[in-house]
Amino acid sequence: QVLLVESGGGLVQAGGSLRLSCSVSGRTYSGYSIGWFRQAPGKEREFVAAINWSGGLTYYINSVKGRFTISRDNAKSMVYLQTNSLKPEDTAVYYCAAGLGAFPQTTRAAYDCWGQGTQVTVSS
C-alpha cells in the first residue's frame, strides 16, 4: 500500500500562489506516476496534472497550463504542485494519487492510492 499525504493548501487572494506537497510513503512506489486531482463543492473530481516516475514527463489540463507546475523529488519521496496566478475557479480540495500504467492517466479509476486532500481557497 502506498500512503499519500497532501499539505500546503490554504486561503489566498486571486493572483497568488501556493505550493502543494504530496508525501509518499509505505511500500516502494517505484514506477508509479503521481496525479493531482481537485474537487470543488458540488462538482466531480477532476484531473489536474500528472508526472511520471522519472519526472521526465508531465501532463496538464488546459485550464492550468502555464500556471501550475508539477514536479517530484524521488529521493525525498515528495511530489509538488506549484500553483501560480490562482483564480477563484481553482478553489477546491486537491488530492494526489498514485497509479501505474501508460502515461498519462487522467481518470480516477487509473489511480490506486489516494491522499486525504488539502483545501485550496482563492478569494476574488
Side-chain angles (χ1 to χ4, degrees):
Q1 183 75 8
V2 176
L3 303 176
L4 304 107
V5 179
E6 303 91 338
S7 61
L11 173 63
V12 64
Q13 289 187 332
S17 299
L18 287 172
R19 189 176 80 155
L20 308 184
S21 298
C22 175
S23 173
V24 186
S25 61
R27 68 177 174 89
T28 179
Y29 73 119
S30 176
Y32 277 87
S33 295
I34 300 294
W36 282 96
F37 287 73
R38 65 187 179 186
Q39 187 165 17
K43 294 188 177 181
E44 294 289 319
R45 191 172 300 186
E46 70 166 346
F47 169 82
V48 176
I51 189 166
N52 72 334
W53 162 247
S54 70
L57 296 175
T58 58
Y59 186 80
Y60 303 89
I61 56 172
N62 286 337
S63 61
V64 307
K65 282 182 180 178
R67 299 189 299 122
F68 291 10
T69 302
I70 189 171
S71 62
R72 70 191 297 167
D73 184 341
N74 287 340
K76 296 182 178 179
S77 298
M78 295 292 294
V79 178
Y80 306 100
L81 185 69
Q82 178 66 44
T83 65
N84 298 329
S85 302
L86 284 163
K87 304 175 181 180
E89 51 263 43
D90 294 317
T91 295
V93 177
Y94 283 70
Y95 300 88
C96 62
L100 294 169
F103 184 87
Q105 298 287 348
T106 63
T107 64
R108 292 180 62 177
Y111 291 85
D112 305 307
C113 304
W114 293 80
Q116 84 291 346
T118 186
Q119 176 71 48
V120 171
T121 303
V122 185
S123 63
S124 56

